[in-house]
Amino acid sequence: MSIMQRLKEATRKQHEELEQAVDLMSETLSIEDYKSKLLKFYRFYSFIEPRLASFEWDLFGYDFPKRRKLPLLLKDLQSLDIMNEAKKLEGWEGLPDLNGSIGKAFGCLYVLEGANLGGQVISRHLKLRLGLDESNGAAFFSGYGKETATAWKEFGIILENFASEYQNDEEIISGANETFEGFARCFRETYVLDLKI
Ligand code: HEM
Protein backbone atom coordinates (compact mmCIF):
# COMPACT_ATOMS: atom_id res chain seq x y z
CA MET A 1 0.00 0.00 0.00
CA SER A 2 1.28 3.51 -0.79
CA ILE A 3 2.00 5.89 2.08
CA MET A 4 -0.94 8.08 1.04
CA GLN A 5 -3.28 5.08 1.25
CA ARG A 6 -1.78 3.99 4.54
CA LEU A 7 -2.24 7.46 6.01
CA LYS A 8 -5.85 7.60 4.89
CA GLU A 9 -6.55 4.24 6.53
CA ALA A 10 -4.64 5.05 9.70
CA THR A 11 -6.42 8.37 10.27
CA ARG A 12 -9.92 7.58 8.99
CA LYS A 13 -11.49 7.35 12.43
CA GLN A 14 -9.71 10.45 13.72
CA HIS A 15 -10.91 12.37 10.67
CA GLU A 16 -14.52 11.37 11.27
CA GLU A 17 -14.31 12.40 14.91
CA LEU A 18 -12.66 15.71 14.09
CA GLU A 19 -15.20 16.48 11.42
CA GLN A 20 -17.90 16.15 14.07
CA ALA A 21 -15.98 18.21 16.61
CA VAL A 22 -15.34 20.97 14.08
CA ASP A 23 -19.03 20.95 13.15
CA LEU A 24 -18.91 23.65 10.51
CA MET A 25 -21.47 22.08 8.19
CA SER A 26 -24.45 22.71 10.43
CA GLU A 27 -27.52 24.22 8.80
CA THR A 28 -27.87 26.52 11.79
CA LEU A 29 -24.27 27.76 11.82
CA SER A 30 -24.21 31.39 12.93
CA ILE A 31 -21.53 33.99 12.36
CA GLU A 32 -20.70 33.83 16.09
CA ASP A 33 -20.18 30.05 15.83
CA TYR A 34 -18.00 30.55 12.80
CA LYS A 35 -15.86 33.19 14.50
CA SER A 36 -15.20 31.05 17.57
CA LYS A 37 -14.29 28.05 15.37
CA LEU A 38 -12.01 30.13 13.20
CA LEU A 39 -10.23 31.29 16.35
CA LYS A 40 -9.59 27.65 17.21
CA PHE A 41 -8.09 27.04 13.80
CA TYR A 42 -5.91 30.08 14.40
CA ARG A 43 -4.87 28.74 17.80
CA PHE A 44 -3.68 25.54 16.15
CA TYR A 45 -2.00 27.03 13.09
CA SER A 46 -0.22 29.76 15.06
CA PHE A 47 1.29 26.93 17.08
CA ILE A 48 2.14 24.48 14.32
CA GLU A 49 3.24 26.57 11.33
CA PRO A 50 6.25 28.19 13.02
CA ARG A 51 7.39 24.69 14.07
CA LEU A 52 7.04 23.34 10.55
CA ALA A 53 8.88 26.36 9.17
CA SER A 54 12.14 25.17 10.72
CA PHE A 55 12.47 22.21 8.31
CA GLU A 56 14.29 22.47 5.00
CA TRP A 57 11.33 21.81 2.75
CA ASP A 58 13.14 22.97 -0.38
CA LEU A 59 15.19 19.78 -0.27
CA PHE A 60 12.00 17.80 -0.92
CA GLY A 61 10.42 20.11 -3.49
CA TYR A 62 7.73 21.31 -1.07
CA ASP A 63 7.06 25.04 -1.34
CA PHE A 64 6.34 25.79 2.30
CA PRO A 65 6.06 29.61 2.05
CA LYS A 66 3.52 29.31 -0.77
CA ARG A 67 1.44 26.73 1.07
CA ARG A 68 1.28 28.42 4.46
CA LYS A 69 -2.19 29.07 5.80
CA LEU A 70 -1.52 31.62 8.55
CA PRO A 71 -1.62 34.59 6.14
CA LEU A 72 -5.11 33.52 5.04
CA LEU A 73 -6.25 33.07 8.62
CA LEU A 74 -4.93 36.51 9.55
CA LYS A 75 -6.78 38.02 6.60
CA ASP A 76 -10.04 36.42 7.83
CA LEU A 77 -9.49 37.53 11.42
CA GLN A 78 -9.05 41.04 10.16
CA SER A 79 -12.12 40.88 7.91
CA LEU A 80 -14.19 39.63 10.84
CA ASP A 81 -12.64 42.11 13.26
CA ILE A 82 -11.50 39.52 15.78
CA MET A 83 -7.75 40.05 15.65
CA ASN A 84 -7.62 41.14 19.30
CA GLU A 85 -9.34 37.92 20.35
CA ALA A 86 -6.88 35.93 18.28
CA LYS A 87 -3.85 37.50 19.91
CA LYS A 88 -5.06 36.19 23.27
CA LEU A 89 -4.89 32.65 21.90
CA GLU A 90 -1.25 32.73 20.83
CA GLY A 91 1.15 30.65 22.88
CA TRP A 92 -1.14 27.62 23.14
CA GLU A 93 0.99 24.55 23.76
CA GLY A 94 -0.58 21.49 22.22
CA LEU A 95 0.56 18.53 20.25
CA PRO A 96 2.29 17.52 18.16
CA ASP A 97 5.84 17.51 19.33
CA LEU A 98 7.62 16.91 16.06
CA ASN A 99 10.93 16.34 17.86
CA GLY A 100 12.84 17.66 14.90
CA SER A 101 11.72 14.58 12.94
CA ILE A 102 11.21 15.25 9.24
CA GLY A 103 9.18 12.02 9.04
CA LYS A 104 6.73 13.26 11.67
CA ALA A 105 6.67 16.69 10.07
CA PHE A 106 5.64 15.12 6.76
CA GLY A 107 2.86 13.23 8.59
CA CYS A 108 1.74 16.54 10.03
CA LEU A 109 1.76 18.12 6.58
CA TYR A 110 -0.45 15.31 5.28
CA VAL A 111 -3.12 16.41 7.78
CA LEU A 112 -2.78 20.11 7.00
CA GLU A 113 -2.78 19.56 3.24
CA GLY A 114 -5.76 17.20 3.52
CA ALA A 115 -7.68 19.83 5.48
CA ASN A 116 -7.81 21.84 2.24
CA LEU A 117 -10.02 19.15 0.70
CA GLY A 118 -12.58 19.55 3.46
CA GLY A 119 -12.08 23.30 3.14
CA GLN A 120 -13.64 23.22 -0.33
CA VAL A 121 -16.83 21.67 1.03
CA ILE A 122 -16.86 24.05 3.99
CA SER A 123 -16.24 27.17 1.89
CA ARG A 124 -19.30 26.40 -0.28
CA HIS A 125 -21.35 26.06 2.90
CA LEU A 126 -20.01 29.34 4.33
CA LYS A 127 -20.90 31.16 1.13
CA LEU A 128 -24.46 29.82 1.11
CA ARG A 129 -25.12 30.02 4.81
CA LEU A 130 -23.25 33.20 5.82
CA GLY A 131 -22.41 34.95 2.54
CA LEU A 132 -18.69 34.63 3.23
CA ASP A 133 -15.98 34.24 0.61
CA GLU A 134 -12.24 34.88 0.41
CA SER A 135 -12.79 38.64 0.46
CA ASN A 136 -14.82 38.89 3.66
CA GLY A 137 -13.82 36.16 6.12
CA ALA A 138 -13.49 32.78 4.39
CA ALA A 139 -10.06 33.00 2.71
CA PHE A 140 -8.67 30.21 4.90
CA PHE A 141 -11.33 27.70 3.89
CA SER A 142 -11.20 28.80 0.25
CA GLY A 143 -7.53 27.79 0.45
CA TYR A 144 -6.10 26.84 -2.93
CA GLY A 145 -9.49 27.33 -4.61
CA LYS A 146 -9.53 25.84 -8.12
CA GLU A 147 -5.98 24.62 -7.60
CA THR A 148 -6.98 22.35 -4.70
CA ALA A 149 -7.00 19.05 -6.60
CA THR A 150 -3.67 19.84 -8.30
CA ALA A 151 -2.06 20.96 -5.03
CA TRP A 152 -3.20 17.72 -3.33
CA LYS A 153 -1.89 15.58 -6.20
CA GLU A 154 1.47 17.36 -6.17
CA PHE A 155 1.75 16.96 -2.43
CA GLY A 156 1.00 13.24 -2.80
CA ILE A 157 3.89 12.83 -5.24
CA ILE A 158 6.27 14.74 -2.95
CA LEU A 159 5.25 12.59 0.02
CA GLU A 160 5.50 9.30 -1.91
CA ASN A 161 9.01 10.24 -3.07
CA PHE A 162 10.04 11.21 0.43
CA ALA A 163 8.62 8.03 1.98
CA SER A 164 10.38 5.72 -0.46
CA GLU A 165 13.72 7.29 0.45
CA TYR A 166 13.00 7.60 4.16
CA GLN A 167 11.89 4.00 4.72
CA ASN A 168 10.05 4.71 7.94
CA ASP A 169 6.32 4.85 7.22
CA GLU A 170 5.52 4.30 10.89
CA GLU A 171 7.08 7.59 11.87
CA ILE A 172 5.18 9.47 9.17
CA ILE A 173 1.95 7.84 10.30
CA SER A 174 2.60 8.67 13.95
CA GLY A 175 3.18 12.32 12.95
CA ALA A 176 -0.24 12.33 11.26
CA ASN A 177 -1.97 10.63 14.22
CA GLU A 178 -0.43 13.09 16.67
CA THR A 179 -1.46 16.04 14.53
CA PHE A 180 -5.07 14.86 14.44
CA GLU A 181 -4.93 14.36 18.21
CA GLY A 182 -3.56 17.86 18.71
CA PHE A 183 -6.22 19.32 16.46
CA ALA A 184 -8.96 17.48 18.33
CA ARG A 185 -7.60 18.72 21.64
CA CYS A 186 -7.49 22.25 20.30
CA PHE A 187 -11.17 21.96 19.39
CA ARG A 188 -12.24 20.33 22.62
CA GLU A 189 -10.68 23.08 24.70
CA THR A 190 -13.42 25.62 24.86
CA TYR A 191 -12.86 29.22 24.23
CA VAL A 192 -15.67 31.53 25.17
CA LEU A 193 -15.73 34.40 22.78
CA ASP A 194 -17.10 37.61 24.17
CA LEU A 195 -18.25 39.12 20.93
CA LYS A 196 -20.20 41.99 22.46
CA ILE A 197 -22.69 41.95 19.59
C1 HEM B 1 -16.25 19.95 8.92
C2 HEM B 1 -15.01 19.62 8.71
C3 HEM B 1 -14.49 18.75 7.60
C4 HEM B 1 -15.12 18.24 6.51
C5 HEM B 1 -16.55 18.41 6.09
C6 HEM B 1 -14.14 17.46 5.79
C7 HEM B 1 -14.37 16.82 4.61
C8 HEM B 1 -13.41 16.19 3.86
C9 HEM B 1 -13.60 15.69 2.53
C10 HEM B 1 -14.88 15.82 1.71
C11 HEM B 1 -12.44 15.14 2.13
C12 HEM B 1 -12.14 14.50 0.77
C13 HEM B 1 -12.32 13.01 0.83
C14 HEM B 1 -11.96 12.40 -0.48
O1 HEM B 1 -12.00 13.06 -1.52
O2 HEM B 1 -11.61 11.22 -0.46
C15 HEM B 1 -11.51 15.27 3.22
C16 HEM B 1 -10.25 14.79 3.21
C17 HEM B 1 -9.33 15.01 4.20
N1 HEM B 1 -9.50 15.82 5.30
FE1 HEM B 1 -11.24 16.58 5.92
N2 HEM B 1 -12.94 17.53 6.43
C18 HEM B 1 -13.13 18.33 7.52
C19 HEM B 1 -12.19 18.71 8.43
C20 HEM B 1 -10.89 18.34 8.37
C21 HEM B 1 -9.87 18.82 9.26
C22 HEM B 1 -10.09 19.87 10.34
C23 HEM B 1 -8.72 18.18 8.91
C24 HEM B 1 -7.36 18.28 9.49
C25 HEM B 1 -7.00 19.00 10.47
C26 HEM B 1 -9.01 17.30 7.81
C27 HEM B 1 -8.11 16.49 7.19
C28 HEM B 1 -8.35 15.78 6.04
C29 HEM B 1 -7.38 14.90 5.39
C30 HEM B 1 -5.97 14.59 5.87
C31 HEM B 1 -7.99 14.44 4.23
C32 HEM B 1 -7.36 13.55 3.18
C33 HEM B 1 -7.82 12.12 3.27
C34 HEM B 1 -7.12 11.28 2.20
O3 HEM B 1 -6.02 10.78 2.45
O4 HEM B 1 -7.67 11.18 1.10
N3 HEM B 1 -10.34 17.44 7.50
N4 HEM B 1 -12.12 15.92 4.24
Side-chain angles (χ1 to χ4, degrees):
M1 219 197 280
S2 71
I3 185 68
M4 288 297 274
Q5 284 168 319
R6 289 194 70 186
L7 282 162
K8 186 169 183 161
E9 289 297 316
T11 59
R12 191 185 302 277
K13 194 158 178 291
Q14 285 177 306
H15 181 271
E16 275 170 23
E17 286 167 4
L18 186 61
E19 216 179 291
Q20 279 172 12
V22 169
D23 191 26
L24 271 167
M25 296 299 290
S26 156
E27 285 308 318
T28 55
L29 184 79
S30 68
I31 188 76
E32 291 83 1
D33 294 335
Y34 175 60
K35 287 180 183 177
S36 72
K37 281 158 203 272
L38 197 68
L39 284 165
K40 290 184 178 188
F41 273 88
Y42 178 72
R43 171 159 65 182
F44 191 78
Y45 278 78
S46 64
F47 166 79
I48 198 69
E49 269 197 6
R51 279 166 178 77
L52 286 169
S54 61
F55 292 91
E56 289 192 67
W57 296 113
D58 289 357
L59 298 176
F60 309 101
Y62 181 80
D63 192 343
F64 183 77
K66 197 175 124 204
R67 287 178 179 252
R68 291 186 71 164
K69 290 292 164 316
L70 267 181
L72 299 178
L73 274 168
L74 289 169
K75 184 172 182 257
D76 290 340
L77 297 170
Q78 237 147 18
S79 301
L80 298 167
D81 201 18
I82 48 174
M83 191 62 95
N84 287 341
E85 299 295 337
K87 292 286 162 207
K88 292 181 205 158
L89 293 176
E90 285 174 5
W92 177 77
E93 286 292 321
L95 278 172
D97 181 1
L98 301 169
N99 281 335
S101 154
I102 182 71
K104 282 197 175 190
F106 256 111
C108 177
L109 276 192
Y110 162 79
V111 182
L112 302 189
E113 287 293 339
N116 293 300
L117 303 178
Q120 290 304 289
V121 184
I122 294 167
S123 64
R124 277 195 292 277
H125 185 66
L126 294 175
K127 177 76 188 163
L128 282 171
R129 174 83 209 136
L130 301 172
L132 299 177
D133 57 32
E134 63 270 27
S135 70
N136 63 353
F140 171 70
F141 288 104
S142 302
Y144 305 133
K146 289 191 187 69
E147 304 300 319
T148 304
T150 313
W152 178 243
K153 216 170 134 193
E154 278 174 9
F155 173 70
I157 295 168
I158 292 168
L159 180 51
E160 293 294 348
N161 287 340
F162 168 75
S164 64
E165 290 262 312
Y166 195 60
Q167 294 286 315
N168 191 347
D169 282 8
E170 295 314 318
E171 199 169 298
I172 301 172
I173 292 168
S174 80
N177 286 145
E178 285 169 24
T179 303
F180 266 114
E181 265 167 40
F183 226 116
R185 181 167 309 137
C186 182
F187 261 82
R188 273 199 305 271
E189 280 174 22
T190 50
Y191 175 67
V192 180
L193 177 59
D194 181 9
L195 287 168
K196 296 193 184 71
I197 51 175

